[in-house]
C-alpha cells in the first residue's frame, strides 16, 4: 500500500517537474530482469521507476539508511541497503532473492558513480553480469541522456535485452563477466551517442578542440 501510494505521487511529481521521453519502451521487461542504467543524480531511480509503474527493487548506499525513519521508508520502496567498497554478502543475498524468488526487476547502476558520458560507461563494474548469470536474468540496458533538471526535457532510452542464457553451464570467470559487461557497456555507449542533445554534442566538440 505504501509503495503504490508513494509511486503515484512520485509519478505525478516527476512527470510535471522532470519531463522525460521514453525511447524503446517495447524493450522494457517488468518481470525478472536487471535494469542496468547509468547514474547521474539521486533522481535517476525515480526518473526510471515512474516511467514503468511496476514493483521493482534498487540498490541504495548504506548512508541513506542512517536515519531510522528514512531507512524504513526506503525499504518499503524496495531499496536494498549496500555498503559500498566492501563485500556486502547480505546485499548480494537480497538481490538474488529479488530475482530468484520475487521474480521482479532489480535496478543497478553499473558505473558505480554518477557519470553519464559515452566514455564513462565504457568500464562497468561486473555486478550486473554476476547477478544475471546466477539467476539467468536478461539485462535491460538503459540510459538517461542528460542530467535531470527541473522543467528541462530529457530522454530515457531503453536498449534491446541482453540474453545471458547462452552462457548457461559455463564456469563463471572474470573473463566471462568482462565479456557480458562489455556488451552492456557498448549498448549504453551507443545509446548515449545516438540520442544525445545538440548542446551535449557542442560541449563535446568544444572539449575536444581544447584538448587538441
Amino acid at each position: 500500500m505504501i509503495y503504490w501510494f508513494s509511486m503515484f505521487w512520485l509519478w505525478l511529481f516527476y512527470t510535471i517537474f522532470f519531463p522525460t521521453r521514453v525511447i524503446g519502451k517495447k524493450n522494457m521487461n517488468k518481470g525478472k530482469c536487471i535494469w542496468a542504467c547509468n547514474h547521474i543524480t539521486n533522481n535517476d531511480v525515480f526518473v526510471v521507476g515512474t516511467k514503468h509503474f511496476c514493483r521493482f527493487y534498487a540498490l541504495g548506499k548504506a548512508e541513506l539508511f542512517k536515519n531510522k525513519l528514512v531507512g524504513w521508508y526506503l525499504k518499503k520502496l524496495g531499496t536494498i541497503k549496500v555498503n559500498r567498497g566492501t563485500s556486502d554478502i547480505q546485499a548480494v543475498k537480497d538481490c538474488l532473492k529479488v530475482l530468484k524468488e520475487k521474480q521482479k526487476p532489480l535496478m543497478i547502476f553499473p558505473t558505480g558513480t554518477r557519470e553519464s558520458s559515452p566514455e564513462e560507461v565504457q568500464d562497468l563494474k561486473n555486478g550486473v553480469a554476476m547477478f544475471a548469470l546466477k539467476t539467468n536474468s536478461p539485462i535491460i540496458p538503459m540510459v538517461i541522456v542528460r542530467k535531470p533538471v527541473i522543467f528541462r526535457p530529457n530522454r530515457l532510452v531503453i536498449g534491446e535485452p541482453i540474453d545471458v542464457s547462452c552462457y548457461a553451464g559455463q564456469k563463471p570467470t572474470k573473463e566471462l563477466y568482462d565479456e557480458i559487461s562489455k556488451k552492456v557497456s557498448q549498448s549504453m555507449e551507443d545509446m548515449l551517442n545516438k540520442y544525445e542533445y545538440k548542446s551535449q554534442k557542442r560541449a563535446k566538440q568544444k572539449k575536444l578542440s581544447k584538448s587538441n
Side-chain angles (χ1 to χ4, degrees), residues 51 75 122 148:
K51 291 302 175 185
K75 286 181 180 178
Q122 288 176 358

Side-chain angles (χ1 to χ4, degrees), residues 22-57:
V22 181
I23 299 171
K25 223 170 192 177
K26 61 181 176 59
N27 295 322
M28 178 48 63
N29 186 336
K30 296 182 180 181
K32 182 184 78 169
C33 66
I34 297 173
W35 295 351
C37 186
N38 61 328
H39 195 20
I40 311 175
T41 71
N42 286 330
N43 287 306
D44 300 342
V45 66
F46 301 117
V47 169
V48 176
T50 53
K51 291 302 175 185
H52 306 300
F53 226 80
C54 67
R55 195 69 165 94
F56 73 98
Y57 295 79

Side-chain angles (χ1 to χ4, degrees), residues 27 176 191:
N27 295 322
L176 184 56
M191 288 187 288

Side-chain angles (χ1 to χ4, degrees), residues 107-169:
M107 181 185 285
I108 298 179
F109 300 111
T111 53
T113 55
R114 297 175 194 169
E115 309 292 357
S116 63
S117 74
E119 296 76 18
E120 288 157 342
V121 297
Q122 288 176 358
D123 184 24
L124 303 183
K125 298 182 182 299
N126 284 333
V128 168
M130 184 269 287
F131 286 125
L133 285 176
K134 282 184 175 294
T135 61
N136 193 30
S137 301
I139 302 168
I140 314 295
M142 57 181 73
V143 293
I144 299 171
V145 173
R146 60 182 175 183
K147 182 178 180 179
V149 174
I150 290 180
F151 297 128
R152 184 175 75 173
N154 206 346
R155 294 168 180 161
L156 169 64
V157 189
I158 304 168
E160 293 185 5
I162 296 172
D163 184 8
V164 299
S165 60
C166 58
Y167 299 103

Side-chain angles (χ1 to χ4, degrees), residues 110 121-133 139 162 164 167 170-189:
V121 297
Q122 288 176 358
D123 184 24
L124 303 183
K125 298 182 182 299
N126 284 333
V128 168
M130 184 269 287
F131 286 125
L133 285 176
I139 302 168
I162 296 172
V164 299
Y167 299 103
Q170 293 189 38
K171 183 180 179 180
T173 61
K174 183 181 184 302
E175 289 71 28
L176 184 56
Y177 290 155
D178 287 343
E179 182 180 334
I180 295 171
S181 294
K182 183 62 180 176
K183 288 185 178 182
V184 179
S185 171
Q186 189 62 59
S187 177
M188 295 172 73
E189 183 182 354

